[in-house]
Amino acid sequence: MMVYHMGNIVINVSGDLNEFNTNCAMNIMEQINKKPDSVVGFATGSTPEGVYKKLVELYRSGRIDFEHVKAFNLDEYYPIKRDNPQSYYSYMQKHLYSQVNFNPANINIQNGEAEDPRAECAEYEKKIKMAGNLDYQVLGIGSNGHIGFNEPDDRFPGKTHLVALNEKTISDNSRFFNSAEEVPKTALTMGIKTIMSAKKILFMATGAKKAAIVKEALVGDITPKVPASVLQLHTNVIVVLDGEAAADILPLLENT
Ligand code: F6R
């Protein structure tokens, strides 16, 4: 593992996927061991799957305790039934929540079945506030630069809101569904303001397909056209990449 510093941002480049998963899981564990009742925002997708697997292993070996952790999911499709295997509710249950000792009362995910999505978003923000605000947010990045489901736009969206998914995201995510038609066209997502309010952010990316967007996000202009670029303004971000996702940014880091 190599560690680089770029302004406020710490960039950790792992040799392989196993090391990447371990590095991310250890970072999450460190946060929870330091503050056992941490308010943690969790992401879904392919990137964190192996990370959550490591967390489950760490839990089974007695090195981490989720009993007092308050979990908030970053996003959920809308509309979607909770029991749809492609819902983020199902994803989180499968990969993490049902595998460790969370108190079910501390698990929060936007309700993809809510009748009034706007009221659901306002309620979600209230719950985050009542929990004491996010201590730590786990983030992946879409190949179009999105974080959560904050898609490229003319402005940075604020709080949790209903969003229309763009075509790139629908086609990227269609790999989990039978066809692109089955991918919900809207979602409920924490906004950029919600994400940026987290005290610490773990920003993860793996694979060659993310190399160009990782570079753009971390050293390009800060613009809502690349939503992840806003992270350059956060004062406590740890970036964990595998070698492939780091390929484009690495020459810049090695010269610093
Ligand atoms: C997931 C999320 C998304 C993903 C991003 C990358 O909760 O909000 O922003 O982090 O689409 O997805 P993967 O990891 O599948 O490449």
Side-chain angles (χ1 to χ4, degrees):
M1 169 180 83
M2 295 293 291
V3 181
Y4 303 90
H5 292 264
M6 219 185 50
N8 287 327
I9 299 182
V10 178
I11 303 180
N12 178 322
V13 181
S14 307
D16 60 21
L17 208 51
N18 186 48
E19 194 182 67
F20 167 88
N21 291 330
T22 304
N23 287 341
C24 294
M26 297 293 271
N27 203 276
I28 298 169
M29 183 177 85
E30 219 171 84
Q31 168 69 34
I32 293 172
N33 286 346
K34 202 167 63 192
K35 187 175 181 221
D37 61 348
S38 287
V39 181
V40 181
F42 287 103
T44 62
S46 304
T47 314
E49 265 184 37
V51 176
Y52 295 154
K53 203 164 168 213
K54 287 274 177 206
L55 279 181
V56 173
E57 283 169 24
L58 290 167
Y59 165 73
R60 290 189 181 145
S61 61
R63 294 181 65 191
I64 181 167
D65 180 1
F66 292 90
E67 192 184 350
H68 300 291
V69 175
K70 295 173 208 159
F72 282 88
N73 250 76
L74 187 57
D75 44 17
E76 175 61 285
Y77 289 116
Y78 185 85
I80 198 160
K81 292 260 181 251
R82 279 199 157 179
D83 63 6
N84 182 321
Q86 300 312 332
S87 75
Y88 287 172
Y89 177 87
S90 298
Y91 173 104
M92 288 308 303
Q93 288 298 336
K94 177 174 168 199
H95 294 288
L96 187 65
Y97 295 156
S98 71
Q99 305 291 320
V100 299
N101 66 332
F102 275 101
N103 175 348
N106 288 339
I107 293 176
N108 301 277
I109 306 188
Q110 296 91 336
N111 182 3
E113 301 181 20
E115 272 179 32
D116 180 346
R118 286 175 184 83
E120 172 63 19
C121 291
E123 184 62 24
Y124 201 68
E125 282 288 331
K126 216 188 285 168
K127 281 189 201 158
I128 295 174
K129 204 167 170 191
M130 274 168 53
N133 290 320
L134 295 165
D135 289 300
Y136 189 97
Q137 178 64 51
V138 178
L139 282 185
I141 181 171
S143 60
N144 65 0
H146 74 206
I147 46 176
F149 275 134
N150 295 281
E151 301 283 32
D153 202 345
D154 294 333
R155 58 176 191 92
F156 287 115
K159 298 195 169 162
T160 302
H161 60 289
L162 176 71
V163 68
L165 301 181
N166 79 17
E167 274 172 33
K168 180 82 182 112
T169 299
I170 291 171
S171 82
D172 280 356
N173 289 11
S174 64
R175 68 190 192 277
F176 298 113
F177 292 81
N178 293 323
S179 68
E181 284 68 54
E182 278 185 25
V183 184
K185 306 295 178 280
T186 54
L188 307 176
T189 182
M190 284 186 192
I192 294 290
K193 217 180 232 170
T194 326
I195 293 169
M196 289 294 280
S197 75
K199 293 189 188 81
K200 184 168 186 182
I201 293 176
L202 170 67
F203 179 58
M204 317 172 296
T206 56
K209 274 195 209 144
K210 300 286 173 69
I213 196 68
V214 162
K215 180 182 170 200
E216 216 179 319
L218 297 179
V219 298
D221 290 344
I222 300 171
T223 163
K225 302 279 180 221
V226 183
S229 65
V230 76
L231 297 173
Q232 293 178 42
L233 300 174
H234 196 283
T235 52
N236 196 2
V237 181
I238 171 148
V239 179
V240 182
L241 307 172
D242 70 349
E244 287 183 353
D248 287 7
I249 201 172
L250 209 52
L252 304 179
L253 299 173
E254 282 168 344
N255 287 333
T256 55

